[in-house]
Amino acid sequence: MGAILLQNIKVYAYHGCLVEEKKIGSDYRVDLKIKADLSKSSVSDKLADTVDYVHLNYIIKEEMAIRSKLLEHVAERILNRILKELKLITKVTIKVSKINPPIGGNVEMVTIKRVKKR
């Protein structure tokens, strides 16, 4: 078993319930941890035997570009797509953070975390 982490993926997107968020957009941070059997690739040294983190990043960027009102919704789409497209993965943990959320206070970011297993 093993894990691959993609940390601090920066994305500009238009998620949120407020009209302003739909128009202006905001900065987001995505952190991803996947669990998979990496034993074969550790011996073979072949990309085909592991989880391609370029593919993971592509899924995140593509799904973040689709507007959602809630961070939970975009996270769920990312989780489902990762498990559908990358069969070696047994567990995915994702954190989606909105940087400087418009909540009437000095808040650096708000984060949701979701976990999904095969």
Short mmCIF file of all heavy atoms in Angstrom, two decimals, residues 63-93:
data_model
loop_
_atom_site.label_atom_id
_atom_site.label_comp_id
_atom_site.label_asym_id
_atom_site.label_seq_id
_atom_site.Cartn_x
_atom_site.Cartn_y
_atom_site.Cartn_z
N GLU A 63 -12.95 19.79 -12.76
CA GLU A 63 -14.15 19.83 -11.91
C GLU A 63 -14.28 21.16 -11.17
O GLU A 63 -15.39 21.64 -10.97
CB GLU A 63 -14.16 18.66 -10.93
CG GLU A 63 -14.36 17.31 -11.58
CD GLU A 63 -15.66 17.18 -12.35
OE1 GLU A 63 -16.69 17.73 -11.91
OE2 GLU A 63 -15.65 16.51 -13.40
N MET A 64 -13.16 21.76 -10.79
CA MET A 64 -13.22 23.06 -10.13
C MET A 64 -13.72 24.15 -11.09
O MET A 64 -14.26 25.16 -10.64
CB MET A 64 -11.84 23.45 -9.58
CG MET A 64 -11.42 22.68 -8.34
SD MET A 64 -12.44 22.98 -6.89
CE MET A 64 -11.98 24.66 -6.48
N ALA A 65 -13.59 23.93 -12.38
CA ALA A 65 -14.06 24.90 -13.37
C ALA A 65 -15.58 24.87 -13.53
O ALA A 65 -16.15 25.79 -14.11
CB ALA A 65 -13.39 24.65 -14.72
N ILE A 66 -16.24 23.83 -13.02
CA ILE A 66 -17.70 23.73 -13.09
C ILE A 66 -18.27 24.34 -11.82
O ILE A 66 -17.99 23.88 -10.71
CB ILE A 66 -18.15 22.25 -13.22
CG1 ILE A 66 -17.54 21.62 -14.47
CG2 ILE A 66 -19.67 22.16 -13.23
CD1 ILE A 66 -17.69 20.10 -14.53
N ARG A 67 -19.07 25.37 -11.98
CA ARG A 67 -19.60 26.12 -10.84
C ARG A 67 -20.50 25.26 -9.94
O ARG A 67 -21.34 24.51 -10.41
CB ARG A 67 -20.40 27.33 -11.34
CG ARG A 67 -20.99 28.16 -10.22
CD ARG A 67 -21.51 29.49 -10.69
NE ARG A 67 -22.51 30.07 -9.84
CZ ARG A 67 -22.36 30.40 -8.57
NH1 ARG A 67 -21.23 30.18 -7.97
NH2 ARG A 67 -23.35 30.95 -7.88
N SER A 68 -20.29 25.41 -8.64
CA SER A 68 -21.15 24.79 -7.62
C SER A 68 -21.44 25.85 -6.58
O SER A 68 -20.64 26.74 -6.33
CB SER A 68 -20.44 23.62 -6.94
OG SER A 68 -20.30 22.52 -7.80
N LYS A 69 -22.59 25.73 -5.94
CA LYS A 69 -22.90 26.62 -4.84
C LYS A 69 -22.09 26.24 -3.60
O LYS A 69 -21.64 27.10 -2.86
CB LYS A 69 -24.40 26.59 -4.52
CG LYS A 69 -25.25 27.22 -5.59
CD LYS A 69 -26.72 27.11 -5.23
CE LYS A 69 -27.57 27.63 -6.37
NZ LYS A 69 -28.99 27.37 -6.13
N LEU A 70 -21.93 24.93 -3.38
CA LEU A 70 -21.28 24.45 -2.16
C LEU A 70 -19.98 23.72 -2.47
O LEU A 70 -19.87 22.97 -3.45
CB LEU A 70 -22.21 23.48 -1.42
CG LEU A 70 -23.58 24.04 -1.01
CD1 LEU A 70 -24.41 22.94 -0.36
CD2 LEU A 70 -23.42 25.23 -0.09
N LEU A 71 -19.00 23.91 -1.59
CA LEU A 71 -17.72 23.22 -1.73
C LEU A 71 -17.90 21.71 -1.60
O LEU A 71 -17.19 20.93 -2.23
CB LEU A 71 -16.72 23.73 -0.69
CG LEU A 71 -16.34 25.20 -0.78
CD1 LEU A 71 -15.34 25.55 0.31
CD2 LEU A 71 -15.80 25.55 -2.15
N GLU A 72 -18.87 21.30 -0.80
CA GLU A 72 -19.15 19.88 -0.63
C GLU A 72 -19.52 19.23 -1.96
O GLU A 72 -19.14 18.09 -2.24
CB GLU A 72 -20.30 19.66 0.36
CG GLU A 72 -20.00 20.10 1.77
CD GLU A 72 -20.39 21.55 2.06
OE1 GLU A 72 -20.20 22.43 1.19
OE2 GLU A 72 -20.86 21.81 3.19
N HIS A 73 -20.25 19.97 -2.77
CA HIS A 73 -20.71 19.45 -4.07
C HIS A 73 -19.55 19.27 -5.04
O HIS A 73 -19.43 18.22 -5.68
CB HIS A 73 -21.76 20.40 -4.65
CG HIS A 73 -22.40 19.88 -5.89
ND1 HIS A 73 -22.06 20.36 -7.14
CD2 HIS A 73 -23.33 18.93 -6.09
CE1 HIS A 73 -22.77 19.72 -8.04
NE2 HIS A 73 -23.55 18.85 -7.43
N VAL A 74 -18.69 20.26 -5.13
CA VAL A 74 -17.54 20.13 -6.04
C VAL A 74 -16.59 19.03 -5.55
O VAL A 74 -16.06 18.25 -6.35
CB VAL A 74 -16.81 21.47 -6.26
CG1 VAL A 74 -16.07 21.95 -5.05
CG2 VAL A 74 -15.89 21.40 -7.45
N ALA A 75 -16.43 18.90 -4.24
CA ALA A 75 -15.57 17.84 -3.69
C ALA A 75 -16.13 16.46 -4.02
O ALA A 75 -15.38 15.55 -4.39
CB ALA A 75 -15.42 18.01 -2.18
N GLU A 76 -17.43 16.31 -3.92
CA GLU A 76 -18.07 15.02 -4.24
C GLU A 76 -17.87 14.65 -5.70
O GLU A 76 -17.59 13.49 -6.03
CB GLU A 76 -19.56 15.09 -3.90
CG GLU A 76 -20.31 13.80 -4.13
CD GLU A 76 -19.98 12.69 -3.14
OE1 GLU A 76 -19.32 12.95 -2.11
OE2 GLU A 76 -20.39 11.54 -3.41
N ARG A 77 -17.99 15.62 -6.58
CA ARG A 77 -17.76 15.35 -8.01
C ARG A 77 -16.32 14.90 -8.26
O ARG A 77 -16.08 13.96 -9.03
CB ARG A 77 -18.05 16.60 -8.86
CG ARG A 77 -19.51 16.92 -9.03
CD ARG A 77 -19.76 17.87 -10.19
NE ARG A 77 -18.72 18.87 -10.39
CZ ARG A 77 -18.74 20.11 -9.90
NH1 ARG A 77 -19.76 20.51 -9.17
NH2 ARG A 77 -17.76 20.95 -10.16
N ILE A 78 -15.38 15.55 -7.61
CA ILE A 78 -13.97 15.18 -7.77
C ILE A 78 -13.74 13.76 -7.25
O ILE A 78 -13.10 12.93 -7.92
CB ILE A 78 -13.05 16.19 -7.06
CG1 ILE A 78 -13.12 17.55 -7.77
CG2 ILE A 78 -11.61 15.68 -7.03
CD1 ILE A 78 -12.48 18.70 -7.00
N LEU A 79 -14.25 13.46 -6.06
CA LEU A 79 -14.08 12.12 -5.48
C LEU A 79 -14.65 11.04 -6.40
O LEU A 79 -14.00 10.02 -6.66
CB LEU A 79 -14.77 12.04 -4.12
CG LEU A 79 -14.17 12.85 -2.98
CD1 LEU A 79 -15.10 12.83 -1.77
CD2 LEU A 79 -12.79 12.33 -2.61
N ASN A 80 -15.87 11.25 -6.87
CA ASN A 80 -16.51 10.25 -7.74
C ASN A 80 -15.73 10.04 -9.01
O ASN A 80 -15.56 8.89 -9.46
CB ASN A 80 -17.94 10.68 -8.06
CG ASN A 80 -18.86 10.56 -6.87
OD1 ASN A 80 -18.61 9.79 -5.95
ND2 ASN A 80 -19.94 11.32 -6.88
N ARG A 81 -15.27 11.11 -9.60
CA ARG A 81 -14.54 10.98 -10.87
C ARG A 81 -13.20 10.28 -10.68
O ARG A 81 -12.80 9.46 -11.50
CB ARG A 81 -14.36 12.37 -11.48
CG ARG A 81 -13.88 12.28 -12.87
CD ARG A 81 -14.19 13.50 -13.68
NE ARG A 81 -13.29 13.50 -14.81
CZ ARG A 81 -12.83 14.56 -15.41
NH1 ARG A 81 -13.21 15.76 -15.03
NH2 ARG A 81 -11.99 14.45 -16.41
N ILE A 82 -12.50 10.59 -9.61
CA ILE A 82 -11.22 9.93 -9.34
C ILE A 82 -11.42 8.43 -9.18
O ILE A 82 -10.69 7.63 -9.78
CB ILE A 82 -10.55 10.55 -8.10
CG1 ILE A 82 -9.98 11.93 -8.45
CG2 ILE A 82 -9.44 9.64 -7.57
CD1 ILE A 82 -9.48 12.73 -7.26
N LEU A 83 -12.41 8.03 -8.39
CA LEU A 83 -12.64 6.60 -8.19
C LEU A 83 -13.12 5.91 -9.46
O LEU A 83 -12.84 4.73 -9.68
CB LEU A 83 -13.62 6.38 -7.04
CG LEU A 83 -13.07 6.71 -5.65
CD1 LEU A 83 -14.16 6.60 -4.60
CD2 LEU A 83 -11.89 5.80 -5.30
N LYS A 84 -13.83 6.64 -10.31
CA LYS A 84 -14.31 6.06 -11.56
C LYS A 84 -13.17 5.88 -12.58
O LYS A 84 -13.08 4.85 -13.25
CB LYS A 84 -15.39 6.96 -12.16
CG LYS A 84 -15.95 6.46 -13.47
CD LYS A 84 -16.99 7.41 -14.03
CE LYS A 84 -17.46 6.92 -15.39
NZ LYS A 84 -18.33 7.90 -16.04
N GLU A 85 -12.29 6.85 -12.67
CA GLU A 85 -11.27 6.85 -13.72
C GLU A 85 -9.96 6.16 -13.34
O GLU A 85 -9.22 5.74 -14.21
CB GLU A 85 -10.98 8.29 -14.16
CG GLU A 85 -12.17 8.94 -14.84
CD GLU A 85 -11.88 10.35 -15.33
OE1 GLU A 85 -10.70 10.72 -15.51
OE2 GLU A 85 -12.87 11.09 -15.52
N LEU A 86 -9.66 6.06 -12.06
CA LEU A 86 -8.37 5.52 -11.62
C LEU A 86 -8.61 4.31 -10.71
O LEU A 86 -8.81 4.44 -9.51
CB LEU A 86 -7.56 6.61 -10.93
CG LEU A 86 -7.26 7.81 -11.84
CD1 LEU A 86 -6.91 9.05 -11.04
CD2 LEU A 86 -6.17 7.47 -12.82
N LYS A 87 -8.59 3.15 -11.31
CA LYS A 87 -9.00 1.91 -10.64
C LYS A 87 -8.06 1.44 -9.54
O LYS A 87 -8.48 0.68 -8.67
CB LYS A 87 -9.17 0.78 -11.68
CG LYS A 87 -10.18 1.09 -12.77
CD LYS A 87 -11.55 1.34 -12.21
CE LYS A 87 -12.55 1.63 -13.32
NZ LYS A 87 -13.78 2.19 -12.83
N LEU A 88 -6.80 1.85 -9.54
CA LEU A 88 -5.87 1.43 -8.50
C LEU A 88 -6.16 2.07 -7.14
O LEU A 88 -5.75 1.56 -6.10
CB LEU A 88 -4.42 1.81 -8.89
CG LEU A 88 -3.69 0.89 -9.85
CD1 LEU A 88 -2.31 1.47 -10.17
CD2 LEU A 88 -3.54 -0.51 -9.27
N ILE A 89 -6.88 3.18 -7.15
CA ILE A 89 -7.12 3.93 -5.92
C ILE A 89 -8.18 3.24 -5.06
O ILE A 89 -9.24 2.86 -5.55
CB ILE A 89 -7.54 5.37 -6.25
CG1 ILE A 89 -6.39 6.09 -6.95
CG2 ILE A 89 -7.97 6.12 -4.99
CD1 ILE A 89 -6.73 7.47 -7.45
N THR A 90 -7.86 3.10 -3.76
CA THR A 90 -8.80 2.47 -2.84
C THR A 90 -9.47 3.49 -1.90
O THR A 90 -10.54 3.23 -1.37
CB THR A 90 -8.09 1.41 -1.98
OG1 THR A 90 -6.99 2.02 -1.30
CG2 THR A 90 -7.58 0.27 -2.85
N LYS A 91 -8.81 4.63 -1.69
CA LYS A 91 -9.35 5.64 -0.78
C LYS A 91 -8.87 7.02 -1.22
O LYS A 91 -7.71 7.18 -1.61
CB LYS A 91 -8.89 5.36 0.65
CG LYS A 91 -9.41 6.31 1.68
CD LYS A 91 -8.90 5.92 3.06
CE LYS A 91 -9.34 6.91 4.13
NZ LYS A 91 -8.78 6.57 5.44
N VAL A 92 -9.77 8.01 -1.14
CA VAL A 92 -9.43 9.38 -1.50
C VAL A 92 -9.86 10.31 -0.38
O VAL A 92 -10.99 10.21 0.12
CB VAL A 92 -10.14 9.83 -2.80
CG1 VAL A 92 -9.65 11.19 -3.24
CG2 VAL A 92 -10.01 8.83 -3.91
N THR A 93 -8.98 11.20 0.00
CA THR A 93 -9.30 12.26 0.95
C THR A 93 -9.04 13.59 0.25
O THR A 93 -7.98 13.78 -0.34
CB THR A 93 -8.42 12.17 2.21
OG1 THR A 93 -8.58 10.89 2.80
CG2 THR A 93 -8.77 13.27 3.20
#
